[in-house]
Amino acid sequence: MKIRDFFLFDYESKIRLSLVVFILFLILLNFGTEYLFHQTKQVLKQQTEQLISSVAFSAGLLWEKTPRTLLNQNLLELSFKADINRISFLSSDGTTLITSREISSLEELHTFQGLKPGLIDQIRNRNGKPYSETIFSDFYSDRLGNTYLACFMPLETVSGSKSMTGGNIIWVMVEKDVSALAGIQQMSKLNAWIRMGALVIIALVTLILMKNLL
């Protein structure tokens, strides 16, 4: 059989091949859009993590250099300028020492929310040696539906010397409202479900058309 004859399809085969190529194109377009959403979310999350870690570092310097009577006011100004929800200094057991925002109830503390149990154990020094790296939480929400992202930075990463309270490292917690970023994530999931449903419908319609035409 000649190579030219191999590519000579009859009318029925051409119709089927064209419809298959069309469906494959739609699938590729669907994955392309989902990839774009994913990359956008990752870039925004990285930028947010860089912001809150730099704010945590600045807050650590304030802890080292600012009198305690002025620390709360300075934290309030820093959180306002950086558009941060809250800056807090925590002991390793989660006790709030100083915070830039008045807490009216325990539900507003959000301490250790969005953290995996292993990371919480590292903060609380349950492994026998102090943890000296910045920890980022996953997305978490409060009872009002607002979504947050937080970082926890030990003070020893700021000054190079461990700041101890009762033998425990003090942690700087910086919390930022990322409801807009969470909205992009939800939109991405909704978009994926809609496109998958549309592909299923298109595939069914295509099969029916192929059956009727051929």
PDB file of all heavy atoms in Angstrom, residues 42-58 82 84 134-136 149-151 153 174 176 178 181:
ATOM      1  N   GLN A  42      -0.674  31.027  41.900  1.00  0.00           N
ATOM      2  CA  GLN A  42       0.636  30.769  42.488  1.00  0.00           C
ATOM      3  C   GLN A  42       1.462  32.046  42.598  1.00  0.00           C
ATOM      4  O   GLN A  42       2.121  32.285  43.609  1.00  0.00           O
ATOM      5  CB  GLN A  42       1.391  29.725  41.659  1.00  0.00           C
ATOM      6  CG  GLN A  42       0.840  28.310  41.770  1.00  0.00           C
ATOM      7  CD  GLN A  42       0.900  27.789  43.181  1.00  0.00           C
ATOM      8  OE1 GLN A  42      -0.126  27.615  43.848  1.00  0.00           O
ATOM      9  NE2 GLN A  42       2.096  27.537  43.671  1.00  0.00           N
ATOM     10  N   VAL A  43       1.418  32.881  41.548  1.00  0.00           N
ATOM     11  CA  VAL A  43       2.186  34.131  41.572  1.00  0.00           C
ATOM     12  C   VAL A  43       1.666  35.062  42.668  1.00  0.00           C
ATOM     13  O   VAL A  43       2.440  35.643  43.437  1.00  0.00           O
ATOM     14  CB  VAL A  43       2.129  34.832  40.201  1.00  0.00           C
ATOM     15  CG1 VAL A  43       2.700  36.242  40.281  1.00  0.00           C
ATOM     16  CG2 VAL A  43       2.902  34.024  39.160  1.00  0.00           C
ATOM     17  N   LEU A  44       0.343  35.189  42.764  1.00  0.00           N
ATOM     18  CA  LEU A  44      -0.238  36.056  43.790  1.00  0.00           C
ATOM     19  C   LEU A  44       0.056  35.530  45.197  1.00  0.00           C
ATOM     20  O   LEU A  44       0.321  36.312  46.118  1.00  0.00           O
ATOM     21  CB  LEU A  44      -1.748  36.177  43.580  1.00  0.00           C
ATOM     22  CG  LEU A  44      -2.187  36.943  42.331  1.00  0.00           C
ATOM     23  CD1 LEU A  44      -3.706  36.907  42.192  1.00  0.00           C
ATOM     24  CD2 LEU A  44      -1.698  38.387  42.375  1.00  0.00           C
ATOM     25  N   LYS A  45       0.036  34.211  45.356  1.00  0.00           N
ATOM     26  CA  LYS A  45       0.336  33.637  46.667  1.00  0.00           C
ATOM     27  C   LYS A  45       1.790  33.880  47.046  1.00  0.00           C
ATOM     28  O   LYS A  45       2.096  34.218  48.197  1.00  0.00           O
ATOM     29  CB  LYS A  45       0.041  32.141  46.664  1.00  0.00           C
ATOM     30  CG  LYS A  45       0.233  31.483  48.023  1.00  0.00           C
ATOM     31  CD  LYS A  45      -0.119  30.016  48.001  1.00  0.00           C
ATOM     32  CE  LYS A  45       0.091  29.386  49.373  1.00  0.00           C
ATOM     33  NZ  LYS A  45      -0.211  27.932  49.386  1.00  0.00           N
ATOM     34  N   GLN A  46       2.708  33.724  46.091  1.00  0.00           N
ATOM     35  CA  GLN A  46       4.117  33.979  46.367  1.00  0.00           C
ATOM     36  C   GLN A  46       4.351  35.440  46.742  1.00  0.00           C
ATOM     37  O   GLN A  46       5.126  35.740  47.661  1.00  0.00           O
ATOM     38  CB  GLN A  46       4.966  33.596  45.158  1.00  0.00           C
ATOM     39  CG  GLN A  46       5.049  32.103  44.905  1.00  0.00           C
ATOM     40  CD  GLN A  46       5.817  31.763  43.648  1.00  0.00           C
ATOM     41  OE1 GLN A  46       6.302  32.646  42.947  1.00  0.00           O
ATOM     42  NE2 GLN A  46       5.933  30.474  43.349  1.00  0.00           N
ATOM     43  N   GLN A  47       3.692  36.359  46.031  1.00  0.00           N
ATOM     44  CA  GLN A  47       3.830  37.779  46.358  1.00  0.00           C
ATOM     45  C   GLN A  47       3.298  38.076  47.756  1.00  0.00           C
ATOM     46  O   GLN A  47       3.892  38.866  48.501  1.00  0.00           O
ATOM     47  CB  GLN A  47       3.100  38.618  45.316  1.00  0.00           C
ATOM     48  CG  GLN A  47       3.735  38.602  43.944  1.00  0.00           C
ATOM     49  CD  GLN A  47       2.947  39.383  42.922  1.00  0.00           C
ATOM     50  OE1 GLN A  47       1.788  39.756  43.152  1.00  0.00           O
ATOM     51  NE2 GLN A  47       3.550  39.647  41.772  1.00  0.00           N
ATOM     52  N   THR A  48       2.181  37.439  48.112  1.00  0.00           N
ATOM     53  CA  THR A  48       1.612  37.639  49.448  1.00  0.00           C
ATOM     54  C   THR A  48       2.533  37.087  50.516  1.00  0.00           C
ATOM     55  O   THR A  48       2.732  37.714  51.568  1.00  0.00           O
ATOM     56  CB  THR A  48       0.236  36.969  49.543  1.00  0.00           C
ATOM     57  OG1 THR A  48      -0.629  37.484  48.525  1.00  0.00           O
ATOM     58  CG2 THR A  48      -0.397  37.221  50.902  1.00  0.00           C
ATOM     59  N   GLU A  49       3.127  35.917  50.273  1.00  0.00           N
ATOM     60  CA  GLU A  49       4.057  35.328  51.241  1.00  0.00           C
ATOM     61  C   GLU A  49       5.290  36.209  51.419  1.00  0.00           C
ATOM     62  O   GLU A  49       5.795  36.363  52.538  1.00  0.00           O
ATOM     63  CB  GLU A  49       4.454  33.922  50.795  1.00  0.00           C
ATOM     64  CG  GLU A  49       3.333  32.899  50.926  1.00  0.00           C
ATOM     65  CD  GLU A  49       3.748  31.518  50.465  1.00  0.00           C
ATOM     66  OE1 GLU A  49       4.833  31.405  49.831  1.00  0.00           O
ATOM     67  OE2 GLU A  49       3.012  30.547  50.722  1.00  0.00           O
ATOM     68  N   GLN A  50       5.790  36.787  50.332  1.00  0.00           N
ATOM     69  CA  GLN A  50       6.932  37.692  50.434  1.00  0.00           C
ATOM     70  C   GLN A  50       6.580  38.931  51.250  1.00  0.00           C
ATOM     71  O   GLN A  50       7.377  39.407  52.069  1.00  0.00           O
ATOM     72  CB  GLN A  50       7.409  38.095  49.040  1.00  0.00           C
ATOM     73  CG  GLN A  50       8.055  36.967  48.253  1.00  0.00           C
ATOM     74  CD  GLN A  50       8.413  37.372  46.837  1.00  0.00           C
ATOM     75  OE1 GLN A  50       8.122  38.484  46.395  1.00  0.00           O
ATOM     76  NE2 GLN A  50       9.037  36.466  46.100  1.00  0.00           N
ATOM     77  N   LEU A  51       5.357  39.441  51.040  1.00  0.00           N
ATOM     78  CA  LEU A  51       4.917  40.626  51.777  1.00  0.00           C
ATOM     79  C   LEU A  51       4.822  40.346  53.267  1.00  0.00           C
ATOM     80  O   LEU A  51       5.384  41.089  54.088  1.00  0.00           O
ATOM     81  CB  LEU A  51       3.562  41.100  51.243  1.00  0.00           C
ATOM     82  CG  LEU A  51       2.869  42.198  52.054  1.00  0.00           C
ATOM     83  CD1 LEU A  51       3.690  43.478  52.041  1.00  0.00           C
ATOM     84  CD2 LEU A  51       1.453  42.454  51.536  1.00  0.00           C
ATOM     85  N   ILE A  52       4.129  39.283  53.649  1.00  0.00           N
ATOM     86  CA  ILE A  52       3.911  39.041  55.073  1.00  0.00           C
ATOM     87  C   ILE A  52       5.206  38.616  55.767  1.00  0.00           C
ATOM     88  O   ILE A  52       5.389  38.900  56.957  1.00  0.00           O
ATOM     89  CB  ILE A  52       2.789  38.002  55.306  1.00  0.00           C
ATOM     90  CG1 ILE A  52       3.110  36.664  54.645  1.00  0.00           C
ATOM     91  CG2 ILE A  52       1.463  38.537  54.802  1.00  0.00           C
ATOM     92  CD1 ILE A  52       2.040  35.601  54.854  1.00  0.00           C
ATOM     93  N   SER A  53       6.124  37.956  55.044  1.00  0.00           N
ATOM     94  CA  SER A  53       7.399  37.603  55.669  1.00  0.00           C
ATOM     95  C   SER A  53       8.257  38.846  55.892  1.00  0.00           C
ATOM     96  O   SER A  53       8.949  38.954  56.909  1.00  0.00           O
ATOM     97  CB  SER A  53       8.143  36.576  54.815  1.00  0.00           C
ATOM     98  OG  SER A  53       8.436  37.094  53.530  1.00  0.00           O
ATOM     99  N   SER A  54       8.221  39.798  54.949  1.00  0.00           N
ATOM    100  CA  SER A  54       8.982  41.046  55.136  1.00  0.00           C
ATOM    101  C   SER A  54       8.383  41.875  56.271  1.00  0.00           C
ATOM    102  O   SER A  54       9.116  42.508  57.050  1.00  0.00           O
ATOM    103  CB  SER A  54       9.006  41.849  53.840  1.00  0.00           C
ATOM    104  OG  SER A  54       7.699  42.253  53.453  1.00  0.00           O
ATOM    105  N   VAL A  55       7.050  41.865  56.405  1.00  0.00           N
ATOM    106  CA  VAL A  55       6.408  42.568  57.511  1.00  0.00           C
ATOM    107  C   VAL A  55       6.769  41.897  58.842  1.00  0.00           C
ATOM    108  O   VAL A  55       7.020  42.582  59.845  1.00  0.00           O
ATOM    109  CB  VAL A  55       4.881  42.598  57.316  1.00  0.00           C
ATOM    110  CG1 VAL A  55       4.184  43.144  58.564  1.00  0.00           C
ATOM    111  CG2 VAL A  55       4.512  43.452  56.110  1.00  0.00           C
ATOM    112  N   ALA A  56       6.829  40.565  58.851  1.00  0.00           N
ATOM    113  CA  ALA A  56       7.221  39.852  60.068  1.00  0.00           C
ATOM    114  C   ALA A  56       8.646  40.207  60.474  1.00  0.00           C
ATOM    115  O   ALA A  56       8.949  40.384  61.660  1.00  0.00           O
ATOM    116  CB  ALA A  56       7.084  38.347  59.849  1.00  0.00           C
ATOM    117  N   PHE A  57       9.529  40.316  59.486  1.00  0.00           N
ATOM    118  CA  PHE A  57      10.909  40.698  59.774  1.00  0.00           C
ATOM    119  C   PHE A  57      10.970  42.106  60.371  1.00  0.00           C
ATOM    120  O   PHE A  57      11.687  42.353  61.347  1.00  0.00           O
ATOM    121  CB  PHE A  57      11.739  40.628  58.492  1.00  0.00           C
ATOM    122  CG  PHE A  57      13.208  40.817  58.701  1.00  0.00           C
ATOM    123  CD1 PHE A  57      14.015  39.749  59.056  1.00  0.00           C
ATOM    124  CD2 PHE A  57      13.786  42.067  58.565  1.00  0.00           C
ATOM    125  CE1 PHE A  57      15.392  39.922  59.258  1.00  0.00           C
ATOM    126  CE2 PHE A  57      15.146  42.252  58.763  1.00  0.00           C
ATOM    127  CZ  PHE A  57      15.955  41.173  59.116  1.00  0.00           C
ATOM    128  N   SER A  58      10.209  43.036  59.775  1.00  0.00           N
ATOM    129  CA  SER A  58      10.174  44.415  60.292  1.00  0.00           C
ATOM    130  C   SER A  58       9.600  44.445  61.705  1.00  0.00           C
ATOM    131  O   SER A  58      10.088  45.189  62.573  1.00  0.00           O
ATOM    132  CB  SER A  58       9.340  45.303  59.367  1.00  0.00           C
ATOM    133  OG  SER A  58       9.891  45.349  58.061  1.00  0.00           O
ATOM    134  N   ALA A  82       1.127  48.382  55.591  1.00  0.00           N
ATOM    135  CA  ALA A  82       1.329  47.183  54.766  1.00  0.00           C
ATOM    136  C   ALA A  82       0.021  46.479  54.425  1.00  0.00           C
ATOM    137  O   ALA A  82       0.049  45.450  53.750  1.00  0.00           O
ATOM    138  CB  ALA A  82       2.260  46.208  55.484  1.00  0.00           C
ATOM    139  N   ILE A  84      -2.090  44.882  56.436  1.00  0.00           N
ATOM    140  CA  ILE A  84      -2.055  43.590  57.118  1.00  0.00           C
ATOM    141  C   ILE A  84      -3.207  43.538  58.124  1.00  0.00           C
ATOM    142  O   ILE A  84      -3.517  44.528  58.782  1.00  0.00           O
ATOM    143  CB  ILE A  84      -0.709  43.389  57.842  1.00  0.00           C
ATOM    144  CG1 ILE A  84       0.429  43.340  56.823  1.00  0.00           C
ATOM    145  CG2 ILE A  84      -0.720  42.137  58.698  1.00  0.00           C
ATOM    146  CD1 ILE A  84       0.358  42.197  55.854  1.00  0.00           C
ATOM    147  N   THR A 134      10.944  30.343  58.808  1.00  0.00           N
ATOM    148  CA  THR A 134       9.609  30.928  58.693  1.00  0.00           C
ATOM    149  C   THR A 134       8.628  29.887  58.177  1.00  0.00           C
ATOM    150  O   THR A 134       8.930  29.137  57.244  1.00  0.00           O
ATOM    151  CB  THR A 134       9.641  32.133  57.737  1.00  0.00           C
ATOM    152  OG1 THR A 134      10.559  33.109  58.239  1.00  0.00           O
ATOM    153  CG2 THR A 134       8.263  32.761  57.611  1.00  0.00           C
ATOM    154  N   ILE A 135       7.456  29.852  58.784  1.00  0.00           N
ATOM    155  CA  ILE A 135       6.423  28.874  58.431  1.00  0.00           C
ATOM    156  C   ILE A 135       5.225  29.619  57.869  1.00  0.00           C
ATOM    157  O   ILE A 135       4.781  30.619  58.440  1.00  0.00           O
ATOM    158  CB  ILE A 135       6.005  28.046  59.662  1.00  0.00           C
ATOM    159  CG1 ILE A 135       7.203  27.228  60.179  1.00  0.00           C
ATOM    160  CG2 ILE A 135       4.850  27.111  59.328  1.00  0.00           C
ATOM    161  CD1 ILE A 135       6.905  26.478  61.461  1.00  0.00           C
ATOM    162  N   PHE A 136       4.696  29.131  56.760  1.00  0.00           N
ATOM    163  CA  PHE A 136       3.506  29.716  56.150  1.00  0.00           C
ATOM    164  C   PHE A 136       2.331  28.758  56.318  1.00  0.00           C
ATOM    165  O   PHE A 136       2.474  27.544  56.177  1.00  0.00           O
ATOM    166  CB  PHE A 136       3.728  30.001  54.663  1.00  0.00           C
ATOM    167  CG  PHE A 136       4.754  31.061  54.384  1.00  0.00           C
ATOM    168  CD1 PHE A 136       6.057  30.706  54.086  1.00  0.00           C
ATOM    169  CD2 PHE A 136       4.423  32.402  54.439  1.00  0.00           C
ATOM    170  CE1 PHE A 136       7.012  31.674  53.835  1.00  0.00           C
ATOM    171  CE2 PHE A 136       5.377  33.383  54.191  1.00  0.00           C
ATOM    172  CZ  PHE A 136       6.674  33.012  53.891  1.00  0.00           C
ATOM    173  N   LEU A 149      -4.176  34.277  55.148  1.00  0.00           N
ATOM    174  CA  LEU A 149      -2.906  33.576  55.014  1.00  0.00           C
ATOM    175  C   LEU A 149      -1.979  34.159  56.060  1.00  0.00           C
ATOM    176  O   LEU A 149      -1.949  35.384  56.246  1.00  0.00           O
ATOM    177  CB  LEU A 149      -2.324  33.758  53.611  1.00  0.00           C
ATOM    178  CG  LEU A 149      -1.057  32.970  53.279  1.00  0.00           C
ATOM    179  CD1 LEU A 149      -1.390  31.480  53.177  1.00  0.00           C
ATOM    180  CD2 LEU A 149      -0.460  33.442  51.957  1.00  0.00           C
ATOM    181  N   ALA A 150      -1.232  33.317  56.755  1.00  0.00           N
ATOM    182  CA  ALA A 150      -0.383  33.803  57.853  1.00  0.00           C
ATOM    183  C   ALA A 150       1.008  33.209  57.748  1.00  0.00           C
ATOM    184  O   ALA A 150       1.205  32.143  57.162  1.00  0.00           O
ATOM    185  CB  ALA A 150      -1.005  33.447  59.202  1.00  0.00           C
ATOM    186  N   CYS A 151       1.962  33.934  58.310  1.00  0.00           N
ATOM    187  CA  CYS A 151       3.313  33.398  58.442  1.00  0.00           C
ATOM    188  C   CYS A 151       3.741  33.509  59.895  1.00  0.00           C
ATOM    189  O   CYS A 151       3.291  34.391  60.633  1.00  0.00           O
ATOM    190  CB  CYS A 151       4.295  34.107  57.517  1.00  0.00           C
ATOM    191  SG  CYS A 151       4.897  35.704  58.107  1.00  0.00           S
ATOM    192  N   MET A 153       7.261  33.631  62.114  1.00  0.00           N
ATOM    193  CA  MET A 153       8.714  33.797  62.042  1.00  0.00           C
ATOM    194  C   MET A 153       9.291  33.857  63.447  1.00  0.00           C
ATOM    195  O   MET A 153       8.880  34.700  64.254  1.00  0.00           O
ATOM    196  CB  MET A 153       9.069  35.078  61.276  1.00  0.00           C
ATOM    197  CG  MET A 153      10.567  35.343  61.170  1.00  0.00           C
ATOM    198  SD  MET A 153      10.947  36.890  60.277  1.00  0.00           S
ATOM    199  CE  MET A 153      10.488  36.414  58.604  1.00  0.00           C
ATOM    200  N   VAL A 174       2.102  37.119  61.377  1.00  0.00           N
ATOM    201  CA  VAL A 174       1.536  38.156  60.510  1.00  0.00           C
ATOM    202  C   VAL A 174       0.407  37.523  59.715  1.00  0.00           C
ATOM    203  O   VAL A 174       0.606  36.520  59.032  1.00  0.00           O
ATOM    204  CB  VAL A 174       2.598  38.751  59.559  1.00  0.00           C
ATOM    205  CG1 VAL A 174       1.954  39.770  58.630  1.00  0.00           C
ATOM    206  CG2 VAL A 174       3.718  39.388  60.353  1.00  0.00           C
ATOM    207  N   LYS A 176      -2.795  38.132  56.960  1.00  0.00           N
ATOM    208  CA  LYS A 176      -3.324  39.023  55.926  1.00  0.00           C
ATOM    209  C   LYS A 176      -4.601  38.440  55.342  1.00  0.00           C
ATOM    210  O   LYS A 176      -4.705  37.237  55.097  1.00  0.00           O
ATOM    211  CB  LYS A 176      -2.290  39.232  54.811  1.00  0.00           C
ATOM    212  CG  LYS A 176      -2.795  40.162  53.694  1.00  0.00           C
ATOM    213  CD  LYS A 176      -1.706  40.495  52.709  1.00  0.00           C
ATOM    214  CE  LYS A 176      -2.253  41.342  51.551  1.00  0.00           C
ATOM    215  NZ  LYS A 176      -2.869  42.600  52.014  1.00  0.00           N
ATOM    216  N   VAL A 178      -6.790  37.472  52.492  1.00  0.00           N
ATOM    217  CA  VAL A 178      -6.552  37.122  51.080  1.00  0.00           C
ATOM    218  C   VAL A 178      -7.835  36.596  50.446  1.00  0.00           C
ATOM    219  O   VAL A 178      -7.809  35.669  49.640  1.00  0.00           O
ATOM    220  CB  VAL A 178      -5.414  36.085  50.949  1.00  0.00           C
ATOM    221  CG1 VAL A 178      -4.079  36.684  51.299  1.00  0.00           C
ATOM    222  CG2 VAL A 178      -5.699  34.857  51.821  1.00  0.00           C
ATOM    223  N   LEU A 181      -7.733  36.497  46.694  1.00  0.00           N
ATOM    224  CA  LEU A 181      -6.969  35.373  46.163  1.00  0.00           C
ATOM    225  C   LEU A 181      -7.755  34.071  46.280  1.00  0.00           C
ATOM    226  O   LEU A 181      -7.741  33.231  45.376  1.00  0.00           O
ATOM    227  CB  LEU A 181      -5.645  35.253  46.918  1.00  0.00           C
ATOM    228  CG  LEU A 181      -4.673  34.156  46.469  1.00  0.00           C
ATOM    229  CD1 LEU A 181      -4.353  34.295  44.995  1.00  0.00           C
ATOM    230  CD2 LEU A 181      -3.400  34.215  47.299  1.00  0.00           C
TER     231      LEU A 181
END
